[in-house]
Amino acid sequence: MRPSGRLHLGHLWGALDNWKRLQKEYECFYFVADWHALTTEYADTGALRENVEEMVIDWLAAGLDAEGSTLFVQSWVPEHAELNLLFMMLVPVPWLERVPTYKEQREALREKDLSTIGFLNYPLLQAADILIYKADCVPVGVDQQPHIEFTREVARRFNNFYGRVFPEPEALLTETPKLPGTDGRKMSKSYGNCIFLADTPEEVARKAKMMFTDPARKYRHDPGHPDTCPVFYYHGLYSGEEKQREIAPACRTAQIGCTDCKALLAEKLARAQEEYYERRRKIAAAKEGIWELLRAGSVRAREVAQATLAEVRQAMGLPGW
Ligand code: SF4
């Protein structure tokens, strides 16, 4: 995960909750992708350290466990860069140019100069990040699937030239809710519509009460359309399906007003946030412990990465020490 600072509920439901489950079933490696952050934020790195810290506090508060998984910082495992360099020797440039997100992102981030080698290379760095651990599976959303396919192609090309070193990883697609922001659009910092994991329960309740509802319901007596209402969606996650089943007909027949419906959600959200907020506060109070944990995780990750690289060097015929 790229360190972009404080995480929001979209991250919690879209990734962290899933990661937490996976660490019970798999040997998991989760890393702070600080080099990836540089692919777009190279010109302004002032907040990078703080962003790493805030993100990892959120990881831990959300239940990621340094015992159950290996949590580390990408740039502290320089083997990722060496493998990336070796891949550069065999991967044709057009493979990178045709990665769908390459053009899309350059369009979306027009204000930045993304004509850099680093930005073009990021899917290949990602392939190195995955293959260096000989990963069997990578938990991703559907939009990230082309990157896993790209990684498989890189593994195949390497194995064809030098003999089989890498397994071809599978995308581990999990149904994760796509949480709308408070204005109904995708939750994103750039839209200013986030509920942050670091928000106090009071702040969360305030944001819930200001949420957009069914845009077609202008007056209290208008019948609502719960299926297009973000508040209704949140009720499914925080109040439960039974409550949702109660709200749906009441909304459609205008028996319940949006103010009351949002007040109910605000209460549920604030209650869920209380526990999380308290855990986060305790973790944030011992910041040196977070860096310690990342250092220990990076040492563990390096052991695996170095073993893979030794195999890679040998397979490629590079001279040993
Ligand atoms: S009553 Fe609830 S579900 Fe219906 S439109 Fe209002 S906020 Fe949405």
Side-chain angles (χ1 to χ4, degrees):
M1 189 179 275
R2 285 168 61 132
S4 53
R6 293 185 168 187
L7 303 182
H8 52 64
L9 291 185
H11 294 113
L12 181 70
W13 288 96
L16 296 181
D17 220 47
N18 188 31
W19 289 13
K20 196 170 89 178
R21 267 197 309 274
L22 292 175
Q23 68 183 0
K24 293 203 180 87
E25 291 171 48
Y26 296 87
E27 183 190 3
C28 295
F29 290 80
Y30 297 126
F31 69 89
V32 177
D34 53 346
W35 278 336
H36 282 284
L38 294 182
T39 59
T40 52
E41 308 305 322
Y42 59 86
D44 182 8
T45 56
L48 193 54
R49 194 189 144 88
E50 194 190 325
N51 284 348
V52 171
E53 210 169 64
E54 288 295 327
M55 185 174 83
V56 176
I57 293 172
D58 278 330
W59 282 7
L60 298 174
L64 283 196
D65 173 2
E67 298 302 315
S69 334
T70 301
L71 309 179
F72 66 99
V73 178
Q74 181 186 29
S75 67
W76 289 353
V77 185
E79 287 75 12
H80 288 226
E82 185 176 337
L83 186 60
N84 181 203
L85 176 90
L86 295 173
F87 284 162
M88 280 183 194
M89 306 303 169
L90 52 129
V91 171
V93 175
W95 281 25
L96 286 158
E97 287 170 332
R98 67 167 192 245
V99 170
T101 47
Y102 177 64
K103 275 196 189 132
E104 283 164 24
Q105 288 262 324
R106 280 192 70 176
E107 275 298 309
L109 301 171
R110 268 179 168 194
E111 71 285 1
K112 293 185 177 145
D113 179 3
L114 294 183
S115 60
T116 57
I117 300 167
F119 186 68
L120 177 67
N121 170 69
Y122 89 86
L124 194 57
L125 177 58
Q126 222 169 42
D129 297 333
I130 295 166
L131 294 174
I132 203 152
Y133 300 102
K134 297 191 175 178
D136 298 307
C137 312
V138 191
V140 288
V142 184
D143 52 333
Q144 284 280 314
Q145 226 174 343
H147 288 212
I148 305 303
E149 193 42 54
F150 177 84
T151 301
R152 291 164 62 85
E153 281 176 40
V154 173
R156 227 172 289 147
R157 189 163 168 92
F158 183 98
N159 292 345
N160 277 341
F161 285 135
Y162 311 111
R164 190 183 151 83
V165 171
F166 297 112
E168 289 182 32
E170 303 281 346
L172 199 64
L173 294 174
T174 317
E175 269 304 312
T176 49
K178 287 250 179 301
L179 221 63
T182 50
D183 60 0
R185 293 185 288 176
K186 181 181 174 228
M187 193 176 278
S188 160
K189 273 189 194 167
S190 47
Y191 295 149
N193 63 2
C194 297
I195 299 178
F196 290 102
L197 300 181
D199 284 345
T200 62
E202 294 74 31
E203 182 67 2
V204 166
R206 191 188 64 79
K207 287 182 179 177
K209 286 180 185 163
M210 286 169 58
M211 271 172 88
F212 281 33
T213 60
D214 167 17
R217 192 176 185 194
K218 290 203 169 49
Y219 301 103
R220 170 68 179 79
H221 58 265
D222 287 342
H225 306 85
D227 297 338
T228 57
C229 174
V231 175
F232 184 73
Y233 187 86
Y234 274 72
H235 270 303
L237 297 173
Y238 287 92
S239 310
E241 282 177 20
E242 203 176 309
K243 194 75 199 163
Q244 249 192 337
R245 274 198 293 273
E246 234 176 75
I247 292 172
C251 170
R252 287 194 189 101
T253 52
Q255 280 170 33
I256 183 172
C258 293
T259 309
D260 290 342
C261 190
K262 286 197 277 188
L264 191 65
L265 176 68
E267 197 189 309
K268 297 279 181 193
L269 256 172
R271 202 171 307 148
Q273 188 74 355
E274 262 168 31
E275 198 185 316
Y276 181 86
Y277 185 76
E278 188 50 26
R279 227 175 15 246
R280 196 185 192 283
R281 201 184 54 74
K282 282 191 187 139
I283 296 165
K287 285 192 177 154
E288 194 37 47
I290 299 160
W291 292 104
E292 258 322 300
L293 170 159
L294 289 171
R295 276 192 280 275
S298 301
V299 168
R300 246 189 352 252
R302 274 199 93 173
E303 282 169 19
V304 182
Q306 282 170 346
T308 306
L309 254 188
E311 266 185 77
V312 167
R313 290 192 197 120
Q314 196 180 19
M316 292 182 85
L318 290 165
W321 278 68

